Amino acid sequence: MTSHTHAATPVIPLPATAARAVTTAGAALTVVSTFLAWTWTSEFPGDLTVNGYPGGLQVLTLVSGALTLLYALAGYGIRGLGWLNPTRSHNSTFFLALGTLATTWYAVISITAELGGVVNLEPGGYLAAAATLITFLGALGLPLDRKPAEELPRWNWFLAVIVGLLPYLFWRHIRLAGADGRPPRAKALPSWAEILVIAVSFGVGLHVFTYGIDTEYAELFIGFLVAVGFGFAALTRAGLIARITALTTKHRNVTLVAALVAAFCFPFTQQNEQYALIGANILIFATVALGLNVVVGLAGLLDLGYVAFLGVGAYAAALVSGSPMSPIGVQFPFWAAVLTGAAASLVFGVVIGAPTLRLRGDYLAIVTLGFGEIFRLTVNALNGVSGPDLTNGSQGIPSIPDLELFGFDLGISHDVGGFTLGRSANYYLLMLVFTAVVVLVFRRSGESRIGRAWVAIREDETAATAMGINAFRLKLLAFALGATLAGLAGTVQAHVSYTVTPEQYQFAGSVPPNSAFLLAAVILGGMGTLSGPLVGAALLYLIPAKLQFMQDYQLFLFGLALILLMRFRPEGLVADRRKQLEFHETGQLDVPPDTPLTDQAAGTTKAGA
């Protein structure tokens, strides 16, 4: 019998009133410190020498400190702030205080390390470090919902101290309880208010994403990741994420429209062509990942060579694009090139899937991995020497011309409503149309009878077959649909990158998209969900694009991230209710501790039955 009751006790024994006052005062001082200079020289990125105007990492501390202050004030029962903390738990304040501490101390340590000592700190930097520490200590005095501590042998304590794993011990012995994923009970809002909340949420999400993609140096982006990570954890503990998720589930059509509007507004916020190009590539990567989610997430087919279908669509579009280096020497209209790329990927999906989908598990994974390598070696050999002159071998097909749709040349800048849209922004908007099509196909497929049959095959193919489902035909349909969606994205990718080469379509490489990163995006985001692969693909593309020093360690770092994900959140960042129930204990079958012994035995028998 396991008890799931969580004791609301402070880590530091302080009266709740005093702890709340310390936390509030520390958060207020943190906000004030951001308006003071943190260093005397502008050599540190962001120019933290200006009084009265936060800049660079100070902005992250300002936002984190303001949120901490807001949630600390919510603990006083101020009317109107309770909606931000549905669970009425102080865990959200604790995580915000911890995130503010981590972000600020990262900035202070970076200044000290890059400029050569603490003498380079101005009084504002010292005040920020002290204020965030005071805020964190005050948050430790708040009554926190904690899970029962797990006892460790004495030698484990000693070993942990020796190797510096005190954070691990903190997690084992002071584990904070979080929201259980169920939407918190709240007073129902009018429909217009719920729609307004959804719109504001996507507006805030667009602003956060735009700020992250516009960061100009690595220190600011790392601080951004730290602040956003702890902020998301805090909002999850508060139950606010669950509340907004419940609203988006209730208004699905409104949510899709709001998401598309927010995505459409992104290029109008960009003045840098490089950042707009990152956005276009994220959409390509995310769209292909969503197509793979049909194969892996819905049908449960482990495909390790999926990037080859992206390559088939890209090469097909490049061959008919009118490129002077194309051996075919024809130029199709774009709509015909799109159909050509999608049809070619569809044919390859059926040809590869028909003889291989009778395999299961690891055997299917090995065959699809082999197909991906065969595709890359084949297009590399079609150079006129080792085989027919069709793909120019390792040189690929360069000089792919820009598209012109309805008299609108996507290769040049255009002024729209006072905004200047460059080449990357034009292709971003084009790719957004393709993403909307793929999202529509995925959603309609997943909610249809075929989608439910895919899920049944994923869960237990033998049982699904026994219930009359033609497993082979439906798996082939999923394989073909996923290949077609990848081919659609490939037609746009060929024009965005100007060239297609065999090295772009490997199982694992330094530059996404490739099969390993696509599969990681699906798993990281959440298999079988609509928004999960989009979130996972955005993270996996954006982080390496902004942190160039990670190029040589990408596979190691992403492998480590997946290990941590499997340990702490195996259902992915965005998970449906089924996955949460599958991977986490819910306590639904637990017997209350005050139940008589005879009733406990009966309850245990019923649970076992």
Side-chain angles (χ1 to χ4, degrees), residues 195-457:
I195 295 174
L196 180 61
V197 169
I198 294 174
V200 171
S201 300
F202 277 98
V204 172
L206 173 63
H207 180 73
V208 171
F209 178 77
T210 302
Y211 183 88
I213 208 172
D214 288 345
T215 51
E216 299 179 353
Y217 47 94
E219 291 85 355
L220 182 59
F221 185 72
I222 293 175
F224 167 77
L225 291 179
V226 173
V228 170
F230 279 102
F232 181 80
L235 297 182
T236 301
R237 297 304 189 279
L240 186 60
I241 299 298
R243 173 168 289 183
I244 294 176
T245 301
L247 295 181
T248 57
T249 303
K250 180 179 179 181
H251 303 280
R252 291 187 176 182
N253 294 330
V254 173
T255 301
L256 287 177
V257 172
L260 289 176
V261 170
F264 177 80
C265 293
F266 168 75
F268 295 94
T269 65
Q270 300 301 305
Q271 300 297 327
N272 191 318
E273 188 73 4
Q274 178 184 357
Y275 300 153
L277 180 60
I278 292 177
N281 285 322
I282 286 176
L283 277 185
I284 294 174
F285 192 13
T287 302
V288 180
L290 194 58
L292 178 60
N293 198 27
V294 175
V295 180
V296 177
L298 293 181
L301 306 174
L302 184 55
D303 188 350
L304 298 182
Y306 186 75
V307 74
F309 297 120
L310 175 69
V312 170
Y315 265 97
L319 288 172
V320 300
S321 64
S323 169
M325 299 301 295
S326 173
I328 296 181
V330 298
Q331 183 173 5
F332 286 1
F334 179 64
W335 63 268
V338 169
L339 295 179
T340 302
S345 297
L346 172 62
V347 170
F348 271 84
V350 174
V351 170
I352 299 301
T356 61
L357 288 179
R358 300 185 187 278
L359 302 174
R360 297 187 187 183
D362 298 339
Y363 301 101
L364 177 62
I366 293 173
V367 171
T368 54
L369 175 61
F371 163 66
E373 290 301 303
I374 289 172
F375 168 78
R376 183 177 61 84
L377 295 175
T378 300
V379 296
N380 202 20
L382 298 178
N383 54 8
V385 178
S386 302
D389 185 11
L390 184 61
T391 63
N392 293 329
S394 60
Q395 296 181 355
I397 304 177
S399 303
I400 299 175
D402 285 309
L403 295 173
E404 185 174 345
L405 302 176
F406 308 106
F408 192 86
D409 190 347
L410 274 65
I412 61 177
S413 299
H414 299 272
D415 292 330
V416 178
F419 297 92
T420 300
L421 298 180
R423 177 182 183 274
S424 299
N426 296 333
Y427 279 104
Y428 172 91
L429 294 175
L430 176 63
M431 194 61 222
L432 182 60
V433 176
F434 281 76
T435 304
V437 172
V438 174
V439 167
L440 179 62
V441 171
F442 180 86
R443 181 187 176 191
R444 300 299 294 175
S445 299
E447 296 177 351
S448 66
R449 184 175 61 179
I450 294 176
R452 292 193 293 270
W454 283 337
V455 173
I457 294 172

